[in-house]
Amino acid sequence: MIRIATLLLSVCFISSLAAQTTAEKRIDKSVDSLLKLMTLDEKIGQMNQYNGPWAATGPLTNEGNLVGQIKEGKVGSMLNVTGVKRTRELQDLAMQSRLKIPLLFGQDVIHGFRTIFPIPLGEAASWDLKAMEAGARVAAVEASAAGVHWTFAPMVDIARDPRWGRVMEGAGEDTYLGSLIAKARVKGFQGNGFGDTASVMACAKHFAAYGAAVGGRDYNSVDMSLRQLHETYLPPFKAAVDAGAATFMNSFNDINGIPATGNKYIQRDILKGQWKFKGFVVSDWGSIGEMINHGYSKDNKEAGMQAANAGSDMDMESRSYIQHLAALVKEGKVKMAVVDDAVRRILRKKFEMGLFADPYKFSNENREKTQWNNPQHRVVARDIAKKSIVLLKNEKQVLPVSKQTGSIALIGPFVKAKSDHLGFWSYDWPDDSTRIVSLWDGVKSKVSAQTKMLYAKGCGITELDKTGFAEAVETARKADYVILTVGETRDMSGEAKSRSSIQLPGVQEELVKEIVSLGKPTVVMISAGRPLVFNWTADHAPAILYTWWLGTEAGNAMADVLFGDYNPSGKLPMSFPRTEGQIPIYYNHYFTGRPAKNDSDRHYRSAYTDLSLYPKYAFGHGLSYSSFEYSEIQLSAPAFHAGQSLTATVSLTNKSKTAGTETVQLYIRDITASVVRPVKELKGFSQVTLAAGETRSVSFTLTADDLRFYNDQLQYIYEPGKFKLFIGTSSDNVKEAEFELK
Ligand code: GLC
C-alpha cells in the first residue's frame, strides 16, 4: 500500500513541477508574442522608471512631460506613487498607450507602510525569523492595498561600520543571520506568490557590498578581495534569490574599480549566470548617470551602454535609457538581444503579477479601506517590537519596574516622542499623533491608578542647552523610580546619514550623569538607528534598554518590557564599539599572527595600546530577566566524516523565577585551513522558552557543509581538520568543545 502512495505522490510532484513549468511556459509565450509587437522605443520604455510627481527619495530632475511619455508607452514603472487614486490615475494613462502595457508601482516599504514596524536592524535583534516574516507580510498587505506592486526591500547589505547611517536598514554584521533574515523578509513580502493581491514583489538590495563603503561614508568606494565578497557580502543576496526574490537593485558604490551599476561580474556572471536569477535588476536612483561622476562613463549615453550591457535592466531616474538606448542599439553598441532580455524579464513580472489581466487589480478602494486600520497589524507590530528590545544591563534587578510604584519620573527628549519612533524609511500619516504610542502613553497604560507619573524633558536631542537640567533633577528627586530616555533623532541614521561621531548627541549624556548620580533606581532607554557610543552611561547606569526605533507600537512594546509583561529576549546583531577609533569592529575577525589574548597583553599585538580589545557590547549580547545556565557541551562523537553529522548538545536551565526566552547561539572555528579563518562564525541558533526552574537539552547538528568556506581559488569547500565549537548566550560568552572532520 505504501508503495502505491509513494508512486501517487511522486506523480503529483512531477505533475506539479510540470504544471509550474506549464504556467511559466504560458507566460513566456505571452511575453514573446508581446515583444514581437513592440517597437524599439516601446521596449526601451519598459526599461525606464520615473519618480512620481508627489514625493521623492532622491535628487529630482523633473524633466519632460510625464503624462505624455506614459501615454506613448515610454515609461514602464513609477516609484513613490501610492494610494488607489494616484495609481489608478497613472495606470489610466498607461492604458491609453498603443499596447496598453501596465505600469509597475514600486515603493520603499522597508519596515512597514501604514503600520510602521521596528527598523530592520531592530527587528534583526529579535532573531525571530517568523516574526520578521510576519512583519513583512503585514507591510505587503498594507502596501498592496494602496496600489503598490513592488517594494524596494529587503536591504540585505552586511555592515560592520556603525558610522554608516544605513546600518539601520539591514540585518547587521553577520552573514549567516543576515542570510536567514533576507529569506524571511522575501517570503514575507512575496507571500503565496505574485498573483495574490496581498503580496508585493521583493527587491534584494543593494547589489553589492554597499555596506562595506570605506570609512562608513555613504556612497563611498568598496574594495575587497573576491574571496571576501563571496564569503561575507554575497550570501544574503544568494539567499534572496533562493527565496524567489522577484527583483534586485544594484548599488551606488564602485566595487574593485567598477561601479556596481556597470559591473558585469556581479550582475551577469554571478547573479544572472551562476545564480540563474530570472527576475530583473533596477538601478538605484540615478546610479546609471552617476557613473559619469565615478569617472567610468564619459557621458550619460556611454553610461547607458555600460549599464545595459552589464545587466542593469531598468533605469531609475537617470533618463539614460530613454534618451540614448535606441541610438546605442542602432549603432550596435548595445545588441537588441540585450534589450529584449531586459524587457522580457520586466514583462514576465508584470504577467506574473496578473497586471495584464487586470491593470487595476491592486488599486482597490475597498481593500485599501479595510487594510488601512486593521487592528491585527498593530498586534503583529507590537509583538516584534517588544522582541527587538535588547537588555544591555540590569544591575541589582532594577528592572522590571513594579506597576504599583508610588511615583515614576519619565525624563528625557523621547518621553513624549511619537514620529521619532518611526525611524528612517517610514511614512508620516495625518493621524500619527493619535496612532503612534509614545513611551508616556505606554507607561500610563501599565501603572496603577495610584502611581504618580512625573515628566521633565531635561534637554533636546542635539541642542547644547542645559537649562532644563535643574527641573529634570528636581523631578527625579521626587520620584521612587526614574525612566530616562536618550538617543538620536529618526533622521540621524538612514540614507546619506553617515556620521564621524556616534556618541549620544547633544548634552544627553551629561543629563544621564546628573540623573544617575542621584542614586535612584534608574533605567536608561536608548533610541537609535545604529550602535551608539555611550561609555559613561554604560559604566554607571544601573539598567539599560536599547530600543532602536520601534515604530507605531513603540510605547506599548517598551512598557511591555519595562514592567515585565514581556521578558526581554533581544540579542545585538552588531558589535557596539567603545569609540569610533575602534571601528570597524566585528566578532568574526581573523586571529592574525599576533593575537592579543586579553587587555593586558597588548604589546607587539594586533591591538590598540590605548584601548581595550573588546567592543563595549558584543555581537549576540542581550540579557533577560531570567538567568540561564549552560552545561558543558556534549558531542555525539569527537570526529566525523563528510556525509555523516555531528550533534552538539547543551543543557540549558532557567535558574530564575521568571519564564524567559534565550537565543542559544552556535559558533565554530576552523583551527587550521588553506586560508585564515575567523575566530568564530555563527552557524546556528535556537530560541528556547523556559519556565522558571526548567531545564532543557538544546542540540545542534552539524554536517561538513556547515564548515564550508571560500578558498583562494573561490571554491566553496570544506577541509578535514580540527575545529572548535562554541555554544552560548553571546559571541563572547560561550562554552567550548573541539571536534575533528576526518
Ligand atoms: C534611494 C536608495 C534606495 C531606494 C531608492 C528609491 O537612493 O538608495 O535604497 O530604494 O533610492 O527610493
Side-chain angles (χ1 to χ4, degrees), residues 544-572:
I544 303 171
L545 289 169
Y546 215 76
T547 62
W548 315 103
W549 291 124
L550 295 172
T552 308
E553 282 289 322
N556 283 332
M558 290 191 269
D560 286 341
V561 168
L562 279 167
F563 293 94
D565 289 343
Y566 183 76
N567 184 350
S569 56
K571 298 279 184 180
L572 296 178

Side-chain angles (χ1 to χ4, degrees), residues 407-426:
S407 56
I408 299 176
L410 289 95
I411 294 173
F414 293 98
V415 171
K416 300 197 173 180
K418 292 208 168 205
S419 295
D420 258 325
H421 287 298
L422 302 184
F424 200 84
W425 291 119
S426 58

Side-chain angles (χ1 to χ4, degrees), residues 25-92:
K25 275 192 181 144
R26 194 175 56 247
I27 285 182
D28 282 345
K29 204 157 166 290
S30 308
V31 168
D32 285 341
S33 31
L34 178 54
L35 206 62
K36 287 192 184 88
L37 301 175
M38 295 171 81
T39 65
L40 176 57
D41 283 347
E42 286 164 335
K43 290 179 182 177
I44 293 167
Q46 289 304 302
M47 300 167 71
N48 183 36
Q49 181 188 58
Y50 285 144
N51 191 77
W54 296 285
T57 48
L60 258 182
T61 53
N62 259 333
E63 277 168 37
N65 158 17
L66 177 63
V67 170
Q69 290 190 65
I70 295 176
K71 283 181 175 175
E72 289 158 22
K74 292 185 173 173
V75 187
S77 170
M78 297 291 294
L79 75 145
N80 291 323
V81 177
T82 59
V84 167
K85 185 171 173 302
R86 286 176 176 168
T87 53
R88 275 188 172 276
E89 192 180 320
L90 296 186
Q91 201 68 285
D92 281 343

Side-chain angles (χ1 to χ4, degrees), residues 57 79 108 152 166 205-206 249 252 284-285 316 495:
T57 48
L79 75 145
D108 291 289
F152 303 130
R166 297 194 81 163
K205 69 183 186 182
H206 305 77
M249 180 184 291
F252 290 117
D284 201 340
W285 184 297
M316 179 193 289
E495 182 175 356

Side-chain angles (χ1 to χ4, degrees), residues 390-465:
V390 183
L391 177 59
L392 296 179
K393 188 179 178 185
N394 189 22
E395 280 168 358
K396 300 190 236 66
Q397 305 309 310
V398 158
L399 283 172
V401 196
S402 160
K403 294 175 183 175
Q404 278 67 45
T405 305
S407 56
I408 299 176
L410 289 95
I411 294 173
F414 293 98
V415 171
K416 300 197 173 180
K418 292 208 168 205
S419 295
D420 258 325
H421 287 298
L422 302 184
F424 200 84
W425 291 119
S426 58
Y427 299 91
D428 298 305
W429 304 113
D431 57 352
D432 276 350
S433 58
T434 53
R435 253 177 79 79
I436 302 168
V437 183
S438 69
L439 175 62
W440 180 269
D441 303 334
V443 170
K444 197 160 179 59
S445 72
K446 294 282 186 184
V447 295
S448 72
Q450 291 66 44
T451 303
K452 216 160 159 246
M453 284 175 61
L454 310 172
Y455 168 65
K457 188 176 176 187
C459 66
I461 299 168
T462 55
E463 296 77 3
L464 304 179
D465 172 13

